[in-house]
Amino acid sequence: MTEFKEVTSPFCGIGTDDLTVQVDNLSVTVTENGCSMNSPAFELGITDTSPRVGGKEVDLDTAYHKAAELLSQTSQPVIGGCATDVNGMRALLSLADQSGAVVDHQGFNSARYNILTMQESGWINTTLAELKNRCDVLLVVGTDIEATYPRFYELFVWCQEAMFLEQSSDREIIILGKHPQGKTVISPTGKHPHVLDCSDAALPEVLSILRALLKNRPVKSTEVGGISLPELQLVADKLKQANYGVATWSAAALEHQHADLTVQTICELVKDLNHDTRFAGLPLGGRQGDQTAHQVSGWTTGYPARVRFSSGFPEYDPYLYDTEFMLDNGEADLLLWVQSLDTESAQPPTLVPTIVIGRSGMQFQKEPDVFIPVGVPGIDHSGHAYRLDSVVAIRLKQLRDSGLPSTADVLSAIQLAL
């Protein structure tokens, strides 16, 4: 048995880097600082060790050549999932370039709310380090943070030391929208957040009225979205009085009509607040390798991870190059699904030939034509991944020798076989 300390997680999005992990042969156990997100992901066992073609076990070389054969027979392949590390994404884009494929990260439809806002009107954003060291007022919009990022408050809000705050427990937490289900949002001294409960559908209207109050514009309504105007005015005053405020949201949690407007209004509210104080946004993401995919695609192609290479150069369209849309409309004739982090996120059902490069143990409604199990970055091989604030490429350690190839190795071998 080998013990590893200060292990970094590729699963949680916030780059948790203080895990203690014990490895006994192929068995992995998180013994310290685990959470409901990281521990199950690290401890998932290995069940598949050999590739399969047509449901029958084959060697790697046979699987590579069969995948290359299928790719060579297509006119418009789609590479979906894209849940991998930096090297895996680099190899994925190289293969897409050679095969003329569409590249589409599985979480793009949610990330699109953020990406379009950034492209169309810009935003003022901050980092996890700035949140930890400076933020005195945190506005959480439409998101139950603890449900998706179990240690967020522990590591970045109620931290023991903050460079520019005397006591981190003095921070003011304001929650607009979903009422938190957990207890970590409560400060160590017992201070509860100020919650303004409203439906997701009411968020655009509530945020618009909040902006009006910040600008001292007249508002005739006495309530909006079930929130009284005096209560909303109190929040507006607290935001203006912040020394360094942060507004945070998760695009994936805003699955309602006009979610794009919600994100844009948050970002415009942040701009308004900067006339009187320092305020910044912090979009939450980093799950399923989304920030890694967008970062690598960005500095490789100039676009986030929804691009097409069939014209001989990268073309970006945030709507047309949707994996499921293209499969449902008969625009794609092959699906290559890449998912090295999760066994639950299998490829969408389709009748076209399918190649899956995925984590061992992945379950399928329909067996793919080719399945190649790969190692997990941060467990089976070393690598790098971007955390949710996009400014830090976290280093991932190898914890065991499973014999499984990395996603980058598999994709490069398929490209070589083309």
Side-chain angles (χ1 to χ4, degrees), residues 56-136:
K56 297 181 179 179
E57 291 190 0
V58 298
D59 58 45
L60 279 170
D61 195 55
T62 301
Y64 295 152
H65 281 85
K66 181 60 177 179
E69 177 189 335
L70 291 173
L71 271 171
S72 67
Q73 296 170 353
T74 65
S75 54
Q76 184 54 80
V78 174
I79 304 179
C82 303
T84 181
D85 62 348
V86 168
N87 282 339
M89 193 64 195
R90 293 179 70 179
L92 185 153
L93 290 166
S94 180
L95 178 61
D97 188 18
Q98 180 168 332
S99 61
V102 164
V103 171
D104 177 35
H105 188 274
Q106 66 185 66
F108 192 93
N109 285 343
S110 296
R112 183 170 58 199
Y113 306 142
N114 292 338
I115 291 168
L116 292 180
T117 296
M118 177 182 63
Q119 291 174 332
E120 293 173 359
S121 56
W123 55 16
I124 302 171
N125 281 351
T126 190
T127 67
L128 289 170
E130 290 288 84
L131 166 68
K132 177 180 178 179
N133 288 307
R134 296 181 183 274
C135 175
D136 59 339

Side-chain angles (χ1 to χ4, degrees), residues 227-302:
I227 303 171
S228 68
L229 205 63
E231 190 174 10
L232 207 56
Q233 180 65 63
L234 178 62
V235 169
D237 294 338
K238 287 183 177 181
L239 297 180
K240 285 195 289 187
Q241 292 164 8
N243 292 317
Y244 189 104
V246 173
T248 188
W249 70 95
S250 170
L254 301 177
E255 292 295 340
H256 60 273
Q257 192 175 17
H258 307 306
D260 53 341
L261 178 61
T262 302
V263 173
Q264 191 167 46
T265 307
I266 295 169
C267 294
E268 293 304 308
L269 181 145
V270 168
K271 294 177 187 177
D272 294 340
L273 284 162
N274 274 280
H275 290 287
D276 299 305
T277 184
R278 294 185 67 188
F279 225 94
L282 183 66
L284 302 176
R287 300 285 309 285
Q288 301 295 358
D290 60 351
Q291 289 300 329
T292 301
H294 297 316
Q295 286 290 317
V296 177
S297 182
W299 48 256
T300 302
T301 71

